[in-house]
Amino acid sequence: MERYLSLSFSRCFWGFVFILLCFFPHTKTFLSTFTNLDLYEQGIAQRDKGNWRAALDLWQAAKDSLSKENSSDPRIGVAFIELATQKKASDYYEQACEMYFWGFSKALNHKFRKEIEAEIARISPLLDKNEVSNWQSLLTRDAPKLIQKINAFWVSKDPMPTTEMNERLIEH
């Protein structure tokens, strides 16, 4: 009986999703955003279980999926580079730099304000006070320009710009 109820619920749920997608096209964007946000959390769960490679693979898949929608998630980019460096997984360092830059490439909406503020806080010890103030004001005035500044900052600090990996970003 319990299995039957579970199957019935599952069929009803997916039937409902199908109807939403057919008759309300904008729902697709909502559902894909929800699914991709969940992939970040799923990666955290894998990391916490000790499956750090599975977490990195999951986040790479999330990046691929979001990129198709011309979107990004700074939480995934930061979590990826933090985990790769924490595990000293040098075979992931190039990918980690790419993930970091991707994470901040299109994170222009208010949904990721907290993550962008956290990134400013992480970088602020490397900036002078005027730059920190400027970046914080750009957060509310001109988020695309702020994202450009964050990326340009790390590009300018790269000691070996001819390589795919940004050694200074990895070190930080």
Side-chain angles (χ1 to χ4, degrees):
M1 178 71 169
E2 187 176 314
R3 184 168 187 248
Y4 173 76
L5 290 174
S6 177
L7 286 173
S8 290
F9 175 78
S10 180
R11 285 185 185 138
C12 288
F13 174 79
W14 289 112
F16 177 72
V17 169
F18 176 76
I19 290 168
L20 283 175
L21 290 174
C22 289
F23 295 104
F24 303 99
H26 65 280
T27 305
K28 183 178 179 185
T29 303
F30 169 77
L31 289 173
S32 64
T33 300
F34 175 76
T35 303
N36 288 319
L37 290 175
D38 192 47
L39 288 174
Y40 166 75
E41 294 296 334
Q42 289 178 30
I44 294 295
Q46 289 297 320
R47 180 200 67 192
D48 292 349
K49 290 180 192 173
N51 301 329
W52 63 271
R53 287 186 190 272
L56 295 178
D57 291 342
L58 190 65
W59 288 330
Q60 179 62 53
K63 173 191 176 277
D64 295 343
S65 176
L66 284 168
S67 293
K68 289 177 186 172
E69 299 171 11
N70 199 28
S71 186
S72 68
D73 186 335
R75 299 172 311 154
I76 292 172
V78 169
F80 192 103
I81 199 167
E82 285 178 344
L83 186 55
T85 56
Q86 177 191 18
K87 295 298 180 180
K88 298 183 180 3
S90 59
D91 51 325
Y92 283 93
Y93 286 175
E94 285 181 21
Q95 188 178 1
C97 292
E98 178 186 329
M99 291 289 288
Y100 175 87
F101 286 114
W102 162 81
F104 286 99
S105 65
K106 298 187 177 41
L108 306 177
N109 61 37
H110 67 281
K111 176 172 66 174
F112 296 120
R113 181 181 173 94
K114 184 174 79 172
E115 287 76 13
I116 296 170
E117 286 175 343
E119 191 57 21
I120 292 171
R122 277 191 287 273
I123 297 173
S124 66
L126 307 174
L127 302 171
D128 66 43
K129 288 183 181 185
N130 290 336
E131 285 178 301
V132 173
S133 178
N134 181 24
W135 284 26
Q136 288 170 336
S137 71
L138 283 174
L139 184 58
T140 55
R141 287 187 301 116
D142 192 353
K145 188 169 185 172
L146 173 60
I147 297 302
Q148 289 174 346
K149 285 191 169 284
I150 289 171
N151 288 333
F153 171 81
W154 287 116
V155 168
S156 74
K157 299 296 182 195
D158 189 352
M160 299 172 62
T162 58
T163 64
E164 294 295 317
M165 179 175 65
N166 185 322
E167 295 79 6
R168 182 61 182 103
L169 176 58
I170 293 292
E171 178 185 300
H172 186 73

